[in-house]
Amino acid sequence: MIKRVVLFLGILLTLNSCTKRECQFGGPYQFEISATLSPAKVTYQIDDTITVGSIFSDQVYELITNKTYPLINFKFYPTFDVNEISDSIIDKAALNNFEVIIDTIKYNLNEFIYSDGAVTYDGEYLYKNSEYSLEYKLIPKVAGFYSLFQHLLGAINEDYDFPEKCKNKEIQIRTILNNRADNNINLARNSPNELYNTWLFNDPEERFKHIGGYIFYVEE
């Protein structure tokens, strides 16, 4: 009887230690989703069309554990913004310099204006047939030097559950734009604003590449 109890406790301890080892990583989960900006250029002309789209399965790759997990009907909360960066003061309302085209019957993306005048579009991905999708088009109307970020609104808390999820771990989503291309990041050094010409390059992975960053010019 004693041997059986000891064996049972040993099995429980083994299972518990395995679970703990799998969950012993620092920080949140880091899921990666893909997006594409096309045509990918350094310079656009006024009235060109820039298309940003994202289509991916609900089986989503996670970097830290190097596994794919089902994120079923997950609320990603995508957002995009455009800044004019040719001056030392960033124009966060630069989306007003573009015509924004969204199929609002298909996609839930809405303009949001902050108290400081910054303009973004926030919303949700369309989830259908085990696939997420999103698309919008930008048509530049004013020449300038711009940055675009196609990303997600922060971390998701630990309340969302999926198979094998570790307890008390938050979820972060990285947007990988154009299959890890450089997306003209070095152009940011031409901005007189310190956030772009210096701060961004102190951690380009987190401050640009993982939040769908893209730098470009618009000419007449």
Side-chain angles (χ1 to χ4, degrees), residues 113-166:
I113 302 174
Y114 290 83
S115 58
D116 64 354
V119 179
T120 69
Y121 276 75
D122 307 334
E124 297 178 289
Y125 281 88
L126 173 67
Y127 181 56
K128 186 177 181 180
N129 297 327
S130 302
E131 190 174 72
Y132 294 93
S133 64
L134 183 73
E135 183 181 273
Y136 57 91
K137 299 178 186 292
L138 301 176
I139 300 177
K141 297 298 181 181
V142 178
F145 182 28
Y146 297 100
S147 70
L148 177 147
F149 289 93
Q150 163 62 48
H151 53 115
L152 284 297
L153 290 173
I156 309 300
N157 64 37
E158 64 272 13
D159 292 340
Y160 182 86
D161 198 19
F162 55 83
E164 301 180 47
K165 183 178 183 294
C166 299

Side-chain angles (χ1 to χ4, degrees), residues 16 18-25 27-31 60 62 64-65 67-72 74 155-173:
N16 187 50
C18 288
T19 301
K20 287 183 178 179
R21 281 198 299 272
E22 290 177 358
C23 295
Q24 286 178 354
F25 58 88
Y29 286 101
Q30 298 286 353
F31 285 92
V60 185
E62 199 284 316
I64 306 301
T65 60
K67 291 183 178 181
T68 298
Y69 299 96
L71 299 185
I72 308 300
F74 188 83
I156 309 300
N157 64 37
E158 64 272 13
D159 292 340
Y160 182 86
D161 198 19
F162 55 83
E164 301 180 47
K165 183 178 183 294
C166 299
K167 295 181 179 179
N168 303 320
K169 286 290 184 180
E170 290 188 333
I171 298 170
Q172 283 190 346
I173 310 294

Side-chain angles (χ1 to χ4, degrees), residues 169-206:
K169 286 290 184 180
E170 290 188 333
I171 298 170
Q172 283 190 346
I173 310 294
R174 294 176 171 180
T175 302
I176 307 302
L177 185 65
N178 291 344
N179 196 27
R180 304 185 192 279
D182 65 24
N183 295 317
N184 305 328
I185 185 174
N186 286 325
L187 293 180
R189 297 189 186 277
N190 297 334
S191 172
N193 185 277
E194 188 175 354
L195 287 176
Y196 280 87
N197 63 38
T198 302
W199 179 83
L200 184 152
F201 292 96
N202 290 335
D203 191 353
E205 296 290 325
E206 292 299 321

Side-chain angles (χ1 to χ4, degrees), residues 91-128:
D91 179 5
K92 297 181 180 180
L95 267 174
N96 292 329
N97 296 345
F98 294 76
E99 179 184 352
V100 181
I101 300 175
I102 301 168
D103 183 349
T104 54
I105 295 176
K106 186 175 182 180
Y107 299 114
N108 177 20
L109 275 176
N110 299 290
E111 184 183 49
F112 188 86
I113 302 174
Y114 290 83
S115 58
D116 64 354
V119 179
T120 69
Y121 276 75
D122 307 334
E124 297 178 289
Y125 281 88
L126 173 67
Y127 181 56
K128 186 177 181 180

